[in-house]
Amino acid sequence: MTILVLAEHDSANLAPATLNTVAAAQQIGGDIHLLVTGSGIAAVAEAAARVAGVSKVLVADNAAYQHQLPENIAPLLVELAGSYSHVLAAATSNGKNILPRVAAKLDVDQISEIISVQSPDTFTRPIYAGNAIATVQSSAAVKVITVRATGFDAVSAEGGSAAVEAVAAAHDAGISSFVGEELAKSDRPELTAAKIVVSGGRGMQNGDNFKHLYALADKLGAAVGASRAAVDAGFVPNDMQVGQTGKIVAPQLYIAVGISGAIQHLAGMKDSKVIVAINKDEEAPIFQVADYGLVADLFEAIPELEKLV
Amino acid sequence: MKVLVAVKRVVDYNVKVRVKADNSGVDLANVKMSMNPFCEIAVEEAVRLKEKGVASEIVVVTIGPTTAQEQLRTALALGADRAVLVESAEELTSLAVAKLLKAVVDKEQPQLVILGKQAIDSDNNQTGQMLAALSGYAQGTFASKVEVSGDKVAVTREIDGGLQTVSLNLPAIVTTDLRLNEPRYASLPNIMKAKKKPLETLTPEALGVSVASTNKTLKVEAPAARSAGVKVKSVAELVEKLKTEAKVL
């Protein structure tokens, strides 16, 4: 068995989710090849070759692949897939965008967001916003799978010495083009990789009040997240949303502030090791999953917490 | 131009689902069903395109049991012009649904197909991308803004680090994210009018599509329950417990 993993990167650095995906590939067993696609990606290819457990790095360096447009990347993966038993990608917005297009072209059903590997053909994944866990078996010749990063411990980014090989195939469907992007700037750790996450909900009342959470987060070295209610109310940008339709996090410590705990939010954070809830409504559903609950006014509790940690 | 919108009948998002005792699936007997929230956003976007004079006709399609007619009638009440039901009693995979939608796309020849980004039951997030692959069209997934101009559509997409804008040749596939729009409610007169709008029923056999699957669900279980936590009385006690008991600070 040989497994192809699509590397996720920003043209300069390999994204951490790739390391979790390689970990899932290791559990499946077999040779692991990393595919790096893009334009001007020598640095990423070098980083990929150092990832523990990877035996070969395929580099597809072509202008058509620069912005990871699925119309151009998917045909490349379809072309390569014939020599592999599994094609994996992280369940990031990029992986979710590209892989189903590959699966359909290969005429196989995809398995989305696996959280564990039972055997090379059997996997578990959450359904119904994490309220049920399905065990799914695939009989496909090439198994196409996206991996939920929080389900697997990352492999080491160093220690490997994979051979790097260029892939000549160029696919440019010519039906889509990149116009531009607007990336949120933040000095704090990335939400999905942070050890501690502090999240605010509707209880924060407005965007300005998030400064209390930022101050606490900076003291803890934490990332700041939000519930859908806080995002929809315009308090914070949408890439901060934690939940079924936002980011899935599983940090060591998750502090939910002014968040009631709707099932869609819980789907994004209930695998956190320790959950703390601070809410003035003692009936809030968040207290049912919290390891430590504090019934208090967040505007008093958060500054005090910031002082004490 | 003609816009095709795909909708799905799913368990209502407010329902706390229960896993069946025999682990064969989730208990859906006597549970409230609704249109998938992302599909509502897709219908709303199509209706807005029609109100702007961009879309001339909106066809709404669903694949599911006879009861899925309710969701089609809802879409008609919201402003769709006619509906297509591809009747299938069994639960289909995203690939099977994409193949059936492809057959409907071939028949209807829409310029734009709008779907939700994912259904809240299977949480797959596959169908739109698969339909795009099968039809050879470009895809604009997780859309928070859609602008049609001439023979192209500009789609602003919600990606992990922020927003990305792509330009797609028409015909194209768009899948909706939460912030694309706020869906309207159907008014009573429109619900009454929707009952008279045309609804065509097809079958996978009539469309010549095989719905065979390479995936098999072996079992469905409840997630591991978290052990009950404790309530602390003060911030000081909380910090103390996080440091000494949980050891996460």
Side-chain angles (χ1 to χ4, degrees):
Chain A
M1 276 193 314
T2 314
I3 302 166
L4 184 66
V5 175
L6 177 65
E8 172 116 5
H9 63 87
D10 63 358
S11 295
N13 298 298
L14 202 58
T18 305
L19 303 177
N20 305 85
T21 310
V22 170
Q26 278 185 330
Q27 290 188 19
I28 294 169
D31 268 1
I32 300 168
H33 295 180
L34 261 182
L35 171 65
V36 183
T37 60
S39 179
I41 44 172
V44 182
E46 273 173 44
R50 290 197 303 271
V51 173
V54 174
S55 61
K56 197 199 275 185
V57 174
L58 302 176
V59 182
D61 194 330
N62 189 292
Y65 303 145
Q66 190 180 359
H67 297 288
Q68 311 293 331
L69 294 172
E71 296 81 5
N72 299 348
I73 304 263
L76 170 68
L77 277 159
V78 170
E79 188 184 304
L80 296 172
S83 351
Y84 293 92
S85 59
H86 298 73
V87 174
L88 269 56
T92 54
S93 57
N94 198 43
K96 289 175 183 175
N97 195 26
I98 295 172
L99 241 56
R101 208 170 164 111
V102 176
K105 278 292 186 194
L106 294 171
D107 197 23
V108 303
D109 280 300
Q110 178 182 305
I111 305 183
S112 294
E113 301 217 23
I114 62 161
I115 54 170
S116 80
V117 175
Q118 304 289 315
S119 76
D121 68 359
T122 308
F123 309 89
T124 65
R125 61 176 300 264
I127 53 175
Y128 289 91
N131 286 303
I133 307 294
T135 304
V136 184
Q137 187 174 43
S138 170
S139 58
V142 182
K143 292 161 184 68
V144 179
I145 295 165
T146 61
V147 176
R148 182 175 282 192
T150 59
F152 299 88
D153 292 329
V155 298
S156 169
E158 302 293 334
S161 56
V164 178
E165 195 175 285
V167 178
H171 295 272
D172 190 349
I175 51 176
S176 59
S177 59
F178 173 85
V179 176
E181 61 189 3
E182 222 178 289
L183 300 180
K185 290 265 175 287
S186 173
D187 298 333
R188 296 186 188 86
E190 204 203 340
L191 197 50
T192 50
K195 294 258 186 296
I196 303 178
V197 173
V198 181
S199 277
R202 202 193 298 276
M204 297 306 295
Q205 293 177 6
N206 59 51
D208 193 39
N209 284 335
F210 264 75
K211 66 176 187 245
H212 300 298
L213 295 190
Y214 294 134
L216 175 63
D218 288 342
K219 198 134 181 225
L220 292 167
V224 179
S227 69
R228 184 187 162 189
V231 172
D232 281 354
F235 299 173
V236 290
N238 58 46
D239 55 308
M240 282 171 63
Q241 183 183 321
V242 171
Q244 183 187 20
T245 57
K247 298 219 168 84
I248 313 287
V249 301
Q252 294 287 306
L253 174 61
Y254 188 90
I255 305 178
V257 183
I259 292 176
S260 64
I263 52 174
Q264 293 82 5
H265 185 74
L266 300 184
M269 47 63 81
K270 69 186 169 59
D271 292 324
S272 306
K273 186 161 169 275
V274 175
I275 298 173
V276 169
I278 300 174
N279 204 305
K280 64 179 177 192
D281 174 13
E282 61 179 311
E283 301 296 319
I286 190 81
F287 286 119
Q288 291 163 20
V289 300
D291 299 279
Y292 301 105
L294 176 64
V295 180
D297 181 351
L298 67 95
F299 294 107
E300 288 165 19
I302 294 303
E304 194 184 343
L305 184 58
E306 191 205 326
K307 247 180 258 153
L308 289 174
V309 294
Chain B
M1 67 178 195
K2 190 195 274 190
V3 177
L4 183 74
V5 182
V7 300
K8 185 177 185 184
R9 174 184 172 88
V10 298
V11 63
D12 188 86
Y13 73 98
N14 283 312
V15 172
K16 179 123 175 64
V17 295
R18 265 194 205 96
V19 171
K20 285 188 202 164
D22 65 357
N23 293 122
S24 63
V26 162
D27 193 358
L28 295 179
N30 303 317
V31 167
K32 187 185 175 200
M33 304 294 278
S34 303
M35 191 192 296
N36 180 44
F38 292 100
C39 302
E40 287 183 357
I41 295 170
V43 172
E44 176 67 29
E45 195 63 19
V47 173
R48 289 186 190 189
L49 285 173
K50 194 174 177 191
E51 287 168 348
K52 274 192 258 178
V54 176
S56 50
E57 188 188 23
I58 302 169
V59 182
V60 60
V61 56
T62 195
I63 290 143
T66 316
T67 46
Q69 283 190 15
E70 291 168 25
Q71 278 63 46
L72 290 176
R73 291 291 173 200
T74 304
L76 292 170
L78 291 169
D81 296 296
R82 57 190 175 85
V84 178
L85 168 67
V86 181
E87 207 166 321
S88 166
E90 54 181 324
E91 208 172 313
L92 301 178
T93 63
S94 295
L95 182 61
V97 169
K99 286 178 179 172
L100 290 165
L101 290 177
K102 161 77 164 56
V104 175
V105 165
D106 287 347
K107 202 161 153 284
E108 297 284 347
Q109 296 289 318
Q111 282 296 96
L112 189 64
V113 185
I114 313 180
L115 303 88
K117 82 162 174 182
Q118 75 189 58
I120 60 166
D121 51 0
S122 60
D123 283 338
N124 268 343
N125 195 332
Q126 299 173 2
T127 306
Q129 294 89 314
M130 287 179 156
L131 174 60
L134 297 175
S135 54
Y137 295 162
Q139 67 190 52
T141 51
F142 325 142
S144 60
K145 196 173 165 199
V146 175
E147 270 176 306
V148 178
S149 59
D151 59 353
K152 290 193 191 297
V153 57
V155 179
T156 301
R157 309 175 50 234
E158 299 199 1
I159 59 169
D160 286 336
L163 297 171
Q164 179 194 62
T165 304
V166 291
S167 171
L168 314 175
N169 289 3
L170 292 175
I173 312 287
V174 167
T175 74
T176 63
D177 215 321
L178 278 171
R179 275 156 291 270
L180 180 58
N181 60 49
E182 193 144 331
R184 69 193 68 189
Y185 293 98
S187 67
L188 190 57
N190 284 344
I191 292 171
M192 301 310 288
K193 273 185 222 153
K195 291 184 179 164
K196 296 205 179 73
K197 288 184 179 175
L199 192 158
E200 181 187 2
T201 303
L202 297 166
T203 60
E205 296 75 39
L207 290 168
V209 173
S210 156
V211 294
S213 165
T214 59
N215 276 1
K216 192 171 139 198
T217 300
L218 303 181
K219 61 179 172 185
V220 174
E221 296 162 299
R226 288 187 76 94
S227 51
V230 293
K231 287 242 172 84
V232 294
K233 295 206 165 47
S234 68
V235 174
E237 188 188 347
L238 174 64
V239 173
E240 173 66 21
K241 285 209 187 287
L242 288 177
K243 279 184 177 157
T244 55
E245 203 174 274
K247 297 191 171 65
V248 286
L249 280 184

